Amino acid sequence: MELTESRLAGLLGTRQFRFYPQADSTNDLALKWLTQGAISGSVVLADEQIKGKGRLGRSWYTPPGTALIVSVILKPAAQHLPRVTMLGALVIAEMLEAVGTAHVGIKWPNDVQLNGQKVSGVLPEAVWEGKELRGVVLGMGINVRIDFTNTELADRAVSIEPFLGHPVDRADLLVKLLSRIDYWSPQLGTSELFRAWESRLTTLGHEISLQNGGQLVHGKAESVDEDGALLVRDITNEFHRILAGDIALGR
Ligand code: BTN
């Protein structure tokens, strides 16, 4: 079923939302709306996104009708900002579990995977006014029916429909996603949220490599701390506390 303004209006009730058949980046639109005074929980959606932003300065293109492209405006306490990344991955994982998807895992820090292949990306962006946090835009791109066959992503990316073997309605996914965000966002600082995220991580216990501030780190991903940082022990037994990055399994 198509995503349309009127369908979304019926499903989202009193929630503030803006829907664009085509957008450059829903995160950019939500950042603008946030600075203009959007309330917490407001949502920006697009059917097609042509200048989507990915992590680490990458781009994230989404063809029309193929994905759930959503940016949610949140107003957490500044000390809980690191938890917004966890929140994004966790709610997507729970949404997938709610539609009956097995083999859901989180690759640290926030790539949700199905059987080890990436099904979604999360990009939180904060807006500061001096030392005050004005809010955060939690951008999420969830592959619903993007065909990665014969693309360079074929062995790394996956969409929900081919994985499940039947059609899914993006509006239904959205409603499930937002209900998990409403559940968890008042609990950002809790150990329940941390544990729910940590228990889905597939990275712990594995040998990994990653670039950390110009330095290549190899070692075992031992654990995560309550801010979501990854603790990696290298062969000299030195610990590295990694706050962000793109890990590869093995050496
Ligand atoms: C990643 O690189 O894994 C993160 C990708 C995040 C993409 C989403 S799609 C909705 C929102 N709008 C954007 O421009 N980016 C995020």
Side-chain angles (χ1 to χ4, degrees), residues 14 20 23 25 29 65 81 94 238:
T14 56
Y20 300 84
S25 158
L29 291 162
L81 192 53
E94 290 184 329
E238 194 189 330

Side-chain angles (χ1 to χ4, degrees), residues 172-189:
D172 178 47
L173 295 177
L174 176 67
V175 169
K176 290 188 162 65
L177 187 76
L178 294 175
S179 92
R180 296 320 291 161
I181 291 178
D182 291 347
Y183 174 81
W184 283 116
S185 46
Q187 306 187 60
L188 269 185

Side-chain angles (χ1 to χ4, degrees), residues 25-27 49 52-55 60 69 71 118 121-122 139-141:
S25 158
T26 54
N27 264 28
Q49 186 173 247
K53 300 189 290 185
R55 291 170 62 227
W60 183 274
I69 299 296
S71 296
K118 180 161 170 165
V122 177
M140 292 167 279

Side-chain angles (χ1 to χ4, degrees), residues 116-160:
Q117 289 183 296
K118 180 161 170 165
V119 69
S120 76
V122 177
L123 181 68
E125 294 190 87
V127 176
W128 294 88
E129 224 169 52
K131 285 187 178 154
E132 285 218 351
L133 180 65
R134 186 108 182 231
V136 190
V137 166
L138 178 59
M140 292 167 279
I142 300 156
N143 307 332
V144 177
R145 56 186 78 97
I146 301 179
D147 186 1
F148 293 104
T149 326
N150 297 326
T151 72
E152 57 173 79
L153 294 173
D155 57 347
R156 282 182 286 141
V158 69
S159 290
I160 301 172

